[in-house]
Every structure is written in structure tokens, then in C-alpha cells.
Amino acid sequence: MDNKPKLTISGYRGIWGESLNRQIIENFTKAFVLFVRENIKENSTLLLGRDGRENGPEIKQIIIEILNQSGINFVDGDILPTPTVLFAVKKHEYDGAIIITASHNPREYNGLKFVTNRALFANQEEVEKIKNNYSRIENNELPQNEERVIKNENTENFSYINFPQEHADQILKHINVLAIRNKKWKVAVDMINASACVLDPYLFENLGIEIIPLNNIPDGNFGHQPEPLRENLSDIGNLVRQEKCHIGFAHDPDADRLVVIDEEGQVISEEYTLALGTEAVLSKNLINKVIINMSTSQMNCDIAKKYVGECIRTKVGEAHVVEGILENKAIIGGEGGGGIIYPTINLARDSFVSIALILELLSERNQTLKECIETLPHYEMFKDKVPVVGSLDEMYGKMKDHFNDCTVNELDGLRLDFADNSWIHLRPSNTEPIVRLIGEAKTIERIEELFKEAKEVVS
């Protein structure tokens, strides 16, 4: 079994002290330094950011030690939301960034994400280059000239810049602040004791919103399991009800995902975050494109059709969606886990952009969240997993033979689309010997029927 650290387009994550340790951090940092030096001028500058986890300062210090040896200049942004890091790399024309984050994983985890000079996460080709560098470092295979690249003590550190305020100001430039201010919103926000704490107060103050904060100290002591799923968000639902708030929001630790809570304290499916953003943007920009991944709700395609637009699907993964947005000059995109990508403001999943677009939509239409959701297309989504039986090709072959009245798409796993807009998507896990099964239909009965058939076919 290969026990080497596995870097993907989503970065690398592990349990600190176990599957993530000092040596892995050092080697990945050196590997990224080599990648930067292969692509960028000699006098490079990187940005460092972290999501607020307790072990973040220790990991950051290890990275700083390597950067100080390497001769690469860096800016220590300390606690920064992931979308803020990408925004800052673009605005200040940095040569890349390292983000210390494990996204929505539990508190004992941490990890690394790498941002290139394009102000985008490393794509698959770039990830392969970083992985190759890592392997050569681990096996002591660097030629002498490359070894010197990561041993050069001429680093210059730069002074503090208020990146969160710059990010928020960019959002405020591109939304209807007056409409939001006039509604006099009272909003509960769960910041999960992480990076959203450094941006939310400024953003809400400038939107004229009364904020009722929850878990708003960025010390990494998460008030609940950090993935923003319904079962983890009872506290914010209760707070909305108790404080009679108009709406609630919940971030994940690195603040790229957002879940919305309605005025009755009901946690809304994370799929609605992007659907609300798509409605907000396409309703004002007809005949435009939206980019989503293979497992994201059909709601977005229906909304695009309503506004004479086009919905294009990509492989799962933010980097794939972003590339799709760039290739198709799309106006909006994202993933169903609560991540809106609105390139007018930021070319990354951005929970703060999501908040602004949703509040703008509701303010301009004078609707509550519940009223607005009732106007959107409705689907029932199921998610499950099945063990790999035989080979993936055999599993996919059985599915195609059985479901022969549908459109087949094998861009990323196997997706089957039916005439009634229902669909199922099978995609192998990167970490377990399982296949993830996700699907959607207009009714619970229909999606239950599809899932039952699919499981019987592949078992």
C-alpha cells in the first residue's frame, strides 16, 4: 500500500502529528518553492494564510523557516479566509500562496492548499509538478543547482496589510448596499471560531446589519463539528429563533462554504446557496452561462434555462469549476456544498460573496428566505455510498446496460440523466474503496426508486 502523502487539486489534509507532520510540511513547502521558482522570476513573493485552527501557528512557523532558507519573500497574513487569500494574490500580484487549512475537517486535522500566480488553486497539471518535486526531495534526488533554490537566506518579510477589509470593500463595490441597508436586517452568523471572524464584522457593519454572532473568536475551538451540515447547525437555528432574526448564516472554517438558515430557524440544504446566487445573478444578466460540477443540483440548470442561459457541468472540484468558468466566460458558477464562485468579485468559492448576493436578492425582492426558496425549482437529493464490486468499468457497464433510457456522461465517473430531469452520479472516492452515489429527482419516490435500482445493479 502506498503511504506517501497524496496531494490533490483540493490540497493535502491529515491529522496533525500523524498523517500530517513536520517532515511533510517541510517537504511540501520546499516542493512548492521549487514549483514557484520554475515558473516565476527570481524575486518571488508568497502570501501565507491560515484558517484559525489551534495547530496553525506551529505549522506556519515551520513554513516560515523553510521560506526564510529559500530566499522567497513572503507576507504573513496569519488568519485569513481562503477566498481572501485568493483575492489578495490577484490584487497584489503575488507569485502564489500557501493556505494552512483542513477546510471542513475536524479540529485535529490541518492541511495545505497551494495557490499559483494566476490567483487560482493549483490545477491537476500543476499538482503533478508539485508532487514530483516532493518525491525528488523525499528521495534526495535534487541536483545541486535546485538544492540551492531552497537554501538561500535572503528573505524579506513585508508589513501587515488589511486583506479582509480589502476583500470586503471589493464585495461592497459590486452589490446593492442601499437596498440591503434599507431592509435593516437582523442576522445571526456562526463563524465556527475560525477565519470568518476576521471579515464578517466589517462586512456586516458596512451593510448596516445588526449581527448576532456565534462562535466568533478565531481560536480554532470549534463550537461544533465544522462541516456546515444540518446535523451540526442546531445552535445557529436556535439562535435565529431566540433572537427573532430575519436570517442566519453558517460558515465552514476556511470560509469558502456557506449554509443559510431561514427566519424560522430551519437549516436549508447547502445546495440552495448556489441556487440563490444563480437566481440573483442570472435574473439581472440574461443569456449567460453558469458552471457547476457533475454532482450539483439541477436547480441551477433550471434557473439558467428560465433566464435564457446555459448550464455547463465540469468534473467535481473547485479548480475544475473555475477552469470551466474561465473557458466559457461564465458569469457565475460553483459547487453544491454551499460554494458560490462569482468572478466579478472573486474567482473562488466565497462565503462572503454568497452572503452579499443572497441578502441583495432578498432585499430587492422584499422577500424572506422561505418565500424566495418557494419560487425556486424543487428537487429531492439523496447521497449514499456503495462498495466497489469488481472493477469500476464493470460497475459502470452494468449501470449503462440496466439504465438504457438515459443520457450517459463519463467525464467524471458515471452520470446518468433521465428525461424527467432526474439523475444519478457515481464517482469513486479518492480515499476509500467505495463509490459515492448521488442523485436528484422531483419527488422522494422517484429518487428512492433510482437509488434502489442502482444499488441492486452494482451489488
Side-chain angles (χ1 to χ4, degrees), residues 22 33 89 115 138 146 243 249 264 270 315 322 409:
R22 182 183 184 93
V33 166
V89 169
V115 180
E138 190 176 46
E146 287 185 300
E243 297 292 334
F249 298 109
E264 297 178 358
E270 62 270 26
K315 291 182 178 180
V322 168
N409 187 319

Side-chain angles (χ1 to χ4, degrees), residues 207-266:
L207 290 173
I209 289 169
E210 179 185 355
I211 182 174
I212 309 297
L214 180 66
N215 301 319
N216 60 324
I217 300 172
D219 57 10
N221 291 308
F222 302 149
H224 53 78
Q225 286 298 314
E227 186 162 13
L229 301 175
R230 182 178 282 113
E231 56 265 31
N232 298 331
L233 299 177
S234 57
D235 288 348
I236 185 69
N238 291 335
L239 186 63
V240 169
R241 286 191 293 271
Q242 290 165 8
E243 297 292 334
K244 295 182 172 53
C245 295
H246 300 112
I247 195 171
F249 298 109
H251 298 271
D252 73 333
D254 69 332
D256 56 1
R257 294 171 59 184
L258 183 81
V259 170
V260 191
I261 296 88
D262 74 15
E263 63 275 16
E264 297 178 358
Q266 297 300 311

Side-chain angles (χ1 to χ4, degrees), residues 31 37 99 101 130 221 260 272 325:
R37 283 283 166 74
I99 308 173
T101 179
I130 297 169
N221 291 308
V260 191
Y272 277 97
I325 289 172

Side-chain angles (χ1 to χ4, degrees), residues 167-300:
H167 182 190
D169 286 342
Q170 178 73 359
I171 294 170
L172 294 166
K173 286 178 185 176
H174 291 281
I175 61 164
N176 188 344
V177 173
L178 183 60
I180 296 172
R181 281 181 166 274
N182 287 341
K183 283 290 292 182
K184 302 188 185 304
W185 290 91
K186 183 177 183 181
V187 176
V189 185
D190 183 353
M191 306 176 202
I192 192 59
N193 303 110
S195 63
C197 301
V198 304
L199 197 152
D200 269 341
Y202 179 83
L203 178 64
F204 282 99
E205 179 183 356
N206 281 273
L207 290 173
I209 289 169
E210 179 185 355
I211 182 174
I212 309 297
L214 180 66
N215 301 319
N216 60 324
I217 300 172
D219 57 10
N221 291 308
F222 302 149
H224 53 78
Q225 286 298 314
E227 186 162 13
L229 301 175
R230 182 178 282 113
E231 56 265 31
N232 298 331
L233 299 177
S234 57
D235 288 348
I236 185 69
N238 291 335
L239 186 63
V240 169
R241 286 191 293 271
Q242 290 165 8
E243 297 292 334
K244 295 182 172 53
C245 295
H246 300 112
I247 195 171
F249 298 109
H251 298 271
D252 73 333
D254 69 332
D256 56 1
R257 294 171 59 184
L258 183 81
V259 170
V260 191
I261 296 88
D262 74 15
E263 63 275 16
E264 297 178 358
Q266 297 300 311
V267 179
I268 306 304
S269 164
E270 62 270 26
E271 291 288 335
Y272 277 97
T273 302
L274 179 56
L276 288 162
T278 301
E279 176 70 26
V281 172
L282 292 189
S283 63
K284 295 180 178 180
N285 299 274
L286 304 181
I287 320 176
N288 264 288
K289 296 175 182 176
V290 56
I291 310 296
I292 61 177
N293 74 33
M294 287 286 175
S295 290
T296 298
S297 177
Q298 182 69 21
M299 286 189 287
N300 300 281

